[in-house]
Structures are given as structure tokens and as C-alpha cells.
Amino acid sequence: MSARPSASPPARAPRLLLLSLLLLGTVPGPHPGSAFYLPGLAPVNFCTEEKKSDECKAEIELFVNRLDSVESVLPYEYTAFDFCQASEGKRPSENLGQVLFGERIEPSPYKFTFNKVETCKLVCTKTYHTDKAEDKQKLDFLKKSMLLNYQHHWIVDNMPVTWCYDVEDGQRFCNPGFPIGCYITDKGHAKDACVISSEFHERDTFYIFNHVDIKIHYHVVETGSMGARLVAAKLEPKSFKHTHIDKPDCSGPPMDISNKASGEIKIAYTYSISFEEQKNIRWASRWDYILESMPHTHIQWFSIMNSLVIVLFLSGMVAMIMLRTLHKDIARYNQMDSTEDAQEEFGWKLVHGDIFRPPRKGMLLSVFLGSGTQILIMTFVTLFFACLGFLSPANRGALMTCAVVLWVLLGTPAGYVAARFYKSFGGEKWKTNVLLTSFLCPGIVFADFFIMNLILWGEGSSAAIPFGTLVAILALWFCISVPLTFIGAYFGFKKNAIEHPVRTNQIPRQIPEQSFYTKPLPGIIMGGILPFGCIFIQLFFILNSIWSHQMYYMFGFLFLVFIILVITCSEATILLCYFHLCAEDYHWQWRSFLTSGFTAVYFLIYAIHYFFSKLQITGTASTILYFGYTMIMVLIFFLFTGTIGFFACFWFVTKIYSVVKVD
């Protein structure tokens, strides 16, 4: 079980917790209990059958989401399994982010009336004849999903229905999903959820959780007339082999399906529901109990402190170079009057005639810079909105939708930056430049994404994107993003080329023999270590939320880490750039891009380590999908960090050569 001890209880450190929550964007303001919760989400009021009105509903609907597993990357829709299906009912509309993440929310056959207690109510009965091929196939799929520990995800009033259980140190972990069932191996070893009861002991047997005890917690609205609001929905999965299927009493041994079983197998699905009033939990803070049991906040503080130490160390180094060394250099260069002194120039001033010489492969660099700028602005705006609470877990799919829409709309800055730099590198083929900016990096991402989608489609997974959505994504790209890139490029080429503070000599200067440390490769490899050191703890939580299906809500921390990453990439690149200029090596453009971009290589190494050490993913399709999606993240991260490094170094070089007197 992927249970983890929860964060320290709020009673121990109220101030730290409040500060954490403010940083996380989960407290909506000075009054955590105020009715305002999240922009765009209004509370729903419930009341008993007798008091129902337009403002107050009596029926509580339960929706089912796709089922997923930590051991497989392939999620499946609820309807792919042979569970009880809803007779009718419309599916809630899904946004682009939900479709891209493979969420498929559907109505369920479980219907409740507010404050009406039900005990052991039958939903449906499924019968399997093992000699019938179709029945055997359904049963085998059910067994396979229990073996891989697939989890149900149910939703009541936009809240996940959670299964809370005790883990080590007396902490309580609330899992926003619960397993279909579990398996006892032929050696008698209990897998996954089978450890919860000693009744699960038969060897080579599956136990299906065919009964759920649901408890809905509600908070009565102060005005009284408004009814109640749901603040939590918790359940406990159980297994019963109902003796009288027509009149189940929820007692007796668990529902076992032996691997060797033959003949007729009947599974009756039942539920019990009870209601409990909670006076001290407000609707606005109803997610807190799930978030508090999620991975620990104090590790986040440790990670921020760790990153800040790196930033302070780097800032100190950069400040020392800027203020002491550079200041001395500039003063000394500017005091040289006689030609004899000028003959003895040394260090970075020597290369002033070559520092702005256009780099090799300037076309590719300018295209990368355009795409990197697009990603940089998109990340900043998305995280900023997430910090304000617009993109919390309650707004399903909002994060992905926001990122995709922003990326599409940010074609103009991409085209503009690519065109400006391409022109300053002396490029003439502006049409090729615009087309490459529009299609190269997005094309690579789309091609990878399309191949992954074909695999998902072949496996029948719910994460496979419908053809209509693919067409919609292509339409967004070709009809909005590409024209915007052309507009940006038009303005970029129309402007005069970037004016450099020093002239470039006609004959390139010979670069002296470099020592090991000032050669390109060692510098690039060293440059990526520090930025990666700032983010790797945060990276663990992000990968957990993607692959281990844990909720990610720490956008305040992520925004801080983003700012720290930008500063670290800039400072590490400036530092190495200065050392290379002092060694009279003036090829800084590609090197500055690759120095901070190399952080993405460390990200890839970490993702490989995470795959082998933390995940229990099995199967070829799942492995290909993991690395396919990882490559998309690595490419985006490479462009993003590389662009930061280039801009920092460009600013630094322009600054230092503009204050030196050059004959």
C-alpha cells in the first residue's frame, strides 16, 4: 500500500501550518471559514425530501471517474469493467485538461437521499459462467485489475470519496480512491489491501470489495433555512459473500474468487449509507482533511531552505564578481591611456571585437529561444493563477486547460523573440525561421504525444484522447498559435536589429588553448547541477502526483521554487560565462543556453531513477508510456531552462561591454 504518514497535526504548529496553507493557496483569505472558497465554484445546499426546493436538493448523486493503478500507467473507464452501470443520466461536461489527463466522469447507479440512512442495499448482481467465453473474459479482466491494484475514484458533490485508514505513528491517511479488490498469492502472501483483514487467507484467491459503507459528513448552514452542505464523504470497502442475494444482510465470509473456480459465480454489489453532522468543519475548508494527510509540508520547508542556501551562495559569488573583480577590471581598463598599456590588455576585454560574433547554427538557437520564451511566460502565468487558488484540485482539469490555452495564445512572443535574435545573428531566411518557430518544438511534442496516444488507444485505455479532441488541439495550434507566431515574427523582423555596445571585428580572433575547466563540456555539465539541486525535492512530489496518483496542491511552494530556479539558472550561467570570457573564449551563445539547459539531463536521470526505485510499473506499454511522457517533460524543461540561461548571459555580456571604453 502506498500509505504515507501524514503531516504534523495543526494543533502542534498553528502558525507554521497557516503560513504553509497561505503559501499553498488553500486558505481562501483571512477567514478560512468564510463562504468564499474558489472562484467559479458555488456550494450546493441539500435538505431532506420533505423540505426540498429549487435552492435545496434532496438527491445526492455519486459520480464515478476512471480507474487507475500505481502499477500501470493505463487508466480505464468505469464502463470498461463489469460493475453495476447507471440506467440513465447525463455525463458531466469535461474540459480540455480532464480529457488530456484521461479523466472520464460518468453517472453511477448509486443514488442517495439526504439524511436517509440505508443499510445493506442491493445495487445489482453480476453472474458469471466460467464455461462461457464472454463471461470468462470479463472475470479475467476483473482479476487482472485486482492483481494490479486498480482503484475506484468516486465523486460526491465535487469531492473525492475517500478511504481513510491508520498508518504508522498513529497517523491517518486519506486515500482519494479505494481498490476493486485484492489477491492472496499461491504462497499465502497478502498483496495490497488484503492485509486489512485476517479473513482474507485462502491461497491463490481474489477477494472483491463488493460492499461499501459510506458516511457523508455535512455542515448545517447558519441561517437554517438554507439546508446543509456536504463537507466530507468517506467510505470503507468490505467484502461479503451474501448468503441471500435477494435480501442481503451484509454478514458472513468475504466474497472470494479462487483462480481455480469453475461453474457459476455470483457477485452481489451492495452499499450502506449514514450521515453525520460536523459543526466544526466549514464548506470552505472541506478539502483540508485530505490535504493534511498528503505528503509532508515540513519536507517542503526543508527543500525551500536548501534551495535558498544554494541561491544565497550563488548570489554571493555573482555579487563578488560583479562588484569586486568586474569593478576593478572596468576601472583598470578605463584608466589605460597610453598605447603601451593598451597593448597589454588581458582577460575578457581582449575579446570585445568578437563577443557579439553570430553563433554557428544561429537559426536553431533563435527557434529554441522563441519556444523557450513561450514556455517561460506560460509557466509563470499558470503558477501565478494556481497560487491564487483558481487551479486547485477542486477545479478538475483546470491546470492543464490553463497551460494549453496560454501556450496557444503566447505564439506572438515566441515569434517576436525568435525573429529579433535571428535578425541580430545576421540571418536572412526569415520564412524558414518563422516556420521552424511555429512547428519544430510543438511538432516534436505533438508527434511524441500522438505515438503515446496510439499505444493507449491500442490498449483500450481511457487516457486515449478521442479523435475529436485531437482535431481540436490541431485546430488550436494551426488556426490560433501559428498565425500569432507569424504576427510576432512580423514585428520582430520589422524592428531594427539589436544594437550591440561594441563593434565586431572582421577577422575572428584565435581562441587560446583552454584548460580542462574552461572547455565547453565540463562547464556545461557543472552548470546544470546547482539548478537541479534546487528543484529535485519538489520534482519528487510532482512525479508522485503524476504517476502515483496523489493530489498536488502545493502551488505556493512550486511558485517559490520556480522563482528560485530562474535565479539559480541565471546566476550559474553568468558565473561560468565570466570564467570563459576571462579565458578568452567568446563562444558564449550556445554555451549559455546549454549550461542551464543541462538541468533537463539531470531531470531525465532522476526520472529514470524514480522509475526503478519508486514505481512498481509493470508491462511494456506502461514503460513506453512513462518514458514517452517523460521525454516531453524533459524537452519542455530543456527549452525553459536554456532560455533563462541565454537571456541572463546576454544581459550580462551587454552590460559589461557597454561600460568599457573601446577604441
Side-chain angles (χ1 to χ4, degrees):
M1 260 193 252
S2 60
R4 299 270 181 278
S6 70
S8 56
R12 266 186 246 164
R15 279 186 193 168
L16 184 66
L17 191 78
L18 188 66
L19 183 57
S20 313
L21 289 173
L22 276 167
L23 267 171
L24 307 176
T26 54
V27 175
H31 303 290
S34 61
F36 167 74
Y37 174 50
L38 272 174
L41 286 179
V44 181
N45 296 315
F46 292 92
C47 45
T48 51
E49 191 76 51
E50 304 82 55
K51 295 181 183 172
K52 75 171 179 183
S53 63
D54 293 343
E55 292 177 6
C56 202
K57 287 167 65 179
E59 190 182 67
I60 300 172
E61 278 187 280
L62 188 143
F63 289 97
V64 288
N65 203 340
R66 50 99 191 259
L67 286 87
D68 55 32
S69 157
V70 181
E71 295 177 36
S72 168
V73 179
L74 305 163
Y76 289 100
E77 290 184 50
Y78 181 82
T79 48
F81 297 87
D82 193 34
F83 297 131
C84 304
Q85 307 293 343
S87 50
E88 81 287 315
K90 62 181 197 334
R91 288 176 69 151
S93 58
E94 286 162 349
N95 58 36
L96 182 64
Q98 285 174 287
V99 176
L100 291 178
F101 270 134
E103 287 203 8
R104 300 288 181 270
I105 297 172
E106 296 169 43
S108 80
Y110 297 84
K111 299 272 188 286
F112 321 122
T113 306
F114 180 72
N115 241 340
K116 185 183 176 188
V117 176
E118 300 269 14
T119 311
C120 205
K121 189 166 182 188
L122 182 69
V123 185
C124 74
T125 307
K126 293 284 177 184
T127 310
Y128 303 96
H129 295 278
T130 50
D131 46 359
K132 284 187 185 170
E134 192 188 350
D135 285 6
K136 192 173 186 315
Q137 195 181 354
K138 286 178 184 174
L139 200 59
D140 286 347
F141 189 56
L142 211 54
K143 285 179 184 174
K144 186 187 169 190
S145 52
M146 284 191 264
L147 195 62
L148 290 172
N149 197 23
Y150 268 82
Q151 309 254 331
H152 284 282
H153 293 281
W154 289 3
I155 301 159
V156 165
D157 189 31
N158 202 35
M159 281 279 292
V161 182
T162 57
W163 174 33
C164 297
Y165 48 85
D166 294 321
V167 288
E168 60 261 38
D169 305 331
Q171 303 280 13
R172 227 169 148 60
F173 178 74
C174 289
N175 184 4
F178 69 96
I180 297 176
C182 60
Y183 176 60
I184 303 279
T185 62
D186 46 8
K187 290 182 178 158
H189 172 64
K191 274 195 78 185
D192 305 311
C194 277
V195 297
I196 62 172
S197 169
S198 56
E199 288 190 331
F200 305 146
H201 54 73
E202 294 287 330
R203 294 183 174 207
D204 197 17
T205 301
F206 293 91
Y207 289 94
I208 188 160
F209 293 128
N210 59 336
H211 174 83
V212 282
D213 279 339
I214 304 171
K215 182 176 266 191
I216 290 182
H217 301 260
Y218 62 91
H219 170 82
V220 177
V221 184
E222 275 78 358
T223 52
S225 60
M226 295 271 284
R229 288 172 184 171
L230 308 188
V231 291
K234 298 180 184 179
L235 63 69
E236 205 176 322
K238 291 183 175 174
S239 182
F240 293 117
K241 196 175 210 166
H242 300 292
T243 39
H244 306 290
I245 283 182
D246 307 330
K247 288 185 180 173
D249 56 354
C250 294
S251 61
M255 179 70 218
D256 56 338
I257 306 168
S258 170
N259 241 344
K260 302 178 184 72
S262 58
E264 188 182 69
I265 296 170
K266 276 192 176 183
I267 303 173
Y269 290 92
T270 54
Y271 72 90
S272 299
I273 184 157
S274 58
F275 293 83
E276 187 181 310
E277 186 180 347
Q278 291 283 354
K279 289 191 165 65
N280 52 354
I281 302 174
R282 299 291 184 93
W283 187 84
S285 50
R286 63 186 192 154
W287 282 74
D288 292 3
Y289 84 97
I290 303 174
L291 304 182
E292 276 168 23
S293 81
M294 283 285 154
H296 349 286
T297 322
H298 51 269
I299 288 189
Q300 300 285 335
W301 282 112
F302 166 73
S303 118
I304 296 282
M305 292 305 161
N306 161 41
S307 308
L308 283 172
V309 167
I310 294 177
V311 167
L312 285 172
F313 161 72
L314 271 178
S315 302
M317 292 273 285
V318 172
M320 224 164 79
I321 282 177
M322 291 286 198
L323 299 173
R324 292 187 55 189
T325 323
L326 267 177
H327 200 66
K328 274 186 194 165
D329 287 354
I330 290 162
R332 189 164 63 236
Y333 291 152
N334 288 346
Q335 279 165 4
M336 288 180 182
D337 297 329
S338 63
T339 48
E340 291 88 47
D341 286 350
Q343 301 274 307
E344 294 168 21
E345 280 185 357
F346 57 89
W348 54 267
K349 194 188 174 187
L350 272 176
V351 294
H352 68 76
D354 297 274
I355 192 72
F356 291 108
R357 191 173 295 287
R360 274 173 260 156
K361 304 264 191 304
M363 169 78 84
L364 189 62
L365 181 59
S366 63
V367 168
F368 280 177
L369 288 172
S371 295
T373 308
Q374 198 173 3
I375 293 162
L376 183 64
I377 303 171
M378 175 195 84
T379 312
F380 177 80
V381 178
T382 307
L383 286 179
F384 182 71
F385 277 133
C387 279
L388 297 179
F390 283 92
L391 312 175
S392 90
N395 265 352
R396 295 171 193 283
L399 186 75
M400 192 71 175
T401 309
C402 177
V404 171
V405 169
L406 278 170
W407 180 84
V408 167
L409 296 177
L410 287 167
T412 311
Y416 180 79
V417 168
R420 280 288 271 155
F421 278 101
Y422 183 60
K423 193 172 179 181
S424 80
F425 296 155
E428 302 287 329
K429 302 177 185 164
W430 65 272
K431 288 177 190 163
T432 316
N433 180 264
V434 182
L435 288 169
L436 281 175
T437 308
S438 304
F439 296 111
L440 180 67
C441 299
I444 294 170
V445 170
F446 185 80
D448 185 328
F449 189 68
F450 186 70
I451 294 165
M452 296 301 109
N453 204 49
L454 285 178
I455 295 170
L456 286 166
W457 186 65
E459 294 282 336
S461 167
S462 83
I465 287 163
F467 183 70
T469 311
L470 270 181
V471 172
I473 292 171
L474 284 172
L476 283 173
W477 178 17
F478 285 106
C479 304
I480 302 174
S481 183
V482 173
L484 286 174
T485 311
F486 272 78
I487 293 167
Y490 169 75
F491 287 111
F493 279 116
K494 229 178 134 190
K495 284 195 80 155
N496 294 332
I498 299 166
E499 276 192 34
H500 300 309
V502 285
R503 280 196 312 277
T504 302
N505 295 342
Q506 288 193 331
I507 301 165
R509 179 189 169 81
Q510 194 176 356
I511 298 170
E513 183 68 33
Q514 297 292 308
S515 68
F516 174 74
Y517 295 107
T518 52
K519 280 187 178 141
L521 201 60
I524 288 169
I525 292 171
M526 280 191 298
I529 293 175
L530 288 170
F532 179 74
C534 290
I535 60 158
F536 82 97
I537 294 182
Q538 201 65 30
L539 207 58
F540 170 74
F541 288 105
I542 293 170
L543 290 176
N544 257 0
S545 82
I546 297 171
W547 303 114
S548 298
H549 313 295
Q550 293 182 358
M551 270 177 213
Y552 191 86
Y553 60 97
M554 306 176 186
F555 296 112
F557 282 122
L558 193 57
F559 194 64
L560 270 178
V561 169
F562 168 77
I563 303 295
I564 289 170
L565 176 67
V566 171
I567 297 168
T568 320
C569 280
S570 311
E571 291 180 344
T573 313
I574 288 173
L575 212 57
L576 288 160
C577 185
Y578 175 75
F579 294 146
H580 288 125
L581 293 180
C582 287
E584 299 173 34
D585 184 351
Y586 50 82
H587 294 309
W588 61 271
Q589 290 99 331
W590 268 112
R591 186 179 292 153
S592 63
F593 190 90
L594 294 172
T595 299
S596 53
F598 206 78
T599 313
V601 177
Y602 291 111
F603 175 11
L604 177 62
I605 295 166
Y606 183 76
I608 294 168
H609 160 76
Y610 180 83
F611 178 81
F612 288 109
S613 67
K614 296 282 187 295
L615 296 179
Q616 308 116 21
I617 287 179
T618 50
T620 319
S622 290
T623 308
I624 295 171
L625 285 165
Y626 176 85
F627 287 105
Y629 285 130
T630 300
M631 290 320 287
I632 293 179
M633 291 192 274
V634 167
L635 174 67
I636 290 172
F637 197 64
F638 168 71
L639 294 170
F640 162 74
T641 47
T643 304
I644 297 167
F646 178 88
F647 282 139
C649 202
F650 179 73
W651 170 82
F652 172 73
V653 168
T654 309
K655 201 84 180 153
I656 64 171
Y657 284 97
S658 61
V659 290
V660 172
K661 284 187 209 156
V662 176
D663 303 328

